[in-house]
Amino acid sequence: MNPAIRHITFDCTGEPYELARFWSELLGHPISDEDKPGDPEVLIELPDGAPGLLFVSVEEGKATKNRIHFDLQPTGRTRSEEVERAVTLGARILTDRTLPNGRGWVVMADPEGNEFCVERGELDPVEDRVDDRVEG
């Protein structure tokens, strides 16, 4: 038997609940009813048996680029609208890799510096649409 991925874990030097709240609002999934501000671990529960997002307090800060990250595809919004929404929630833009034909992505960081990418959204123009993944 093979193991199942139970959680995807984010290390936090700040308040785990605050970082979980950012991701909860960005992704639209709730923080576990068992967790509250000040807890050393906070869980966002995802639907349909998907691994939860677990935010854990650690002492050491982030030292290098993430080796793993999320590539988000907006639903019901364009990429620009999703990027603007993420910035409003506390993210920052690191690099805009949007190409003139609309392909590409925007590299962003959450409030703790964890990178994620926002790809073309379902409402963006479909010019030359192929898989946007290259190396996000």
Side-chain angles (χ1 to χ4, degrees), residues 45-95:
E45 299 173 312
L46 299 179
D48 303 325
L53 303 180
L54 182 64
F55 300 84
V56 178
S57 182
V58 298
E59 291 182 20
E60 65 281 352
K62 181 177 176 269
T64 63
K65 181 184 183 322
N66 291 25
R67 296 299 304 241
I68 245 176
H69 66 267
F70 293 128
D71 288 339
L72 305 178
Q73 181 182 27
T75 55
R77 295 182 186 89
T78 65
R79 175 180 32 233
S80 295
E81 291 168 337
E82 192 65 43
V83 166
E84 182 178 320
R85 190 173 80 85
V87 167
T88 300
L89 293 172
R92 67 185 190 282
I93 298 171
L94 299 179
T95 308

Side-chain angles (χ1 to χ4, degrees), residues 12 14-25 30-44 54-57 112:
C12 307
E15 170 64 38
Y17 194 89
E18 291 305 313
L19 188 57
R21 184 185 340 224
F22 167 83
W23 283 100
S24 173
E25 290 178 22
I31 292 174
S32 172
D33 291 337
E34 297 177 16
D35 296 321
K36 61 187 180 315
D39 285 351
E41 299 177 357
V42 178
L43 178 66
I44 293 177
L54 182 64
F55 300 84
V56 178
S57 182
E112 285 261 346

Side-chain angles (χ1 to χ4, degrees), residues 101 103 120 125-132:
N101 69 357
R103 294 181 63 202
R120 180 171 31 200
V126 187
E127 297 175 35
D128 194 27
R129 186 181 286 273
V130 294
D131 191 355
D132 285 347

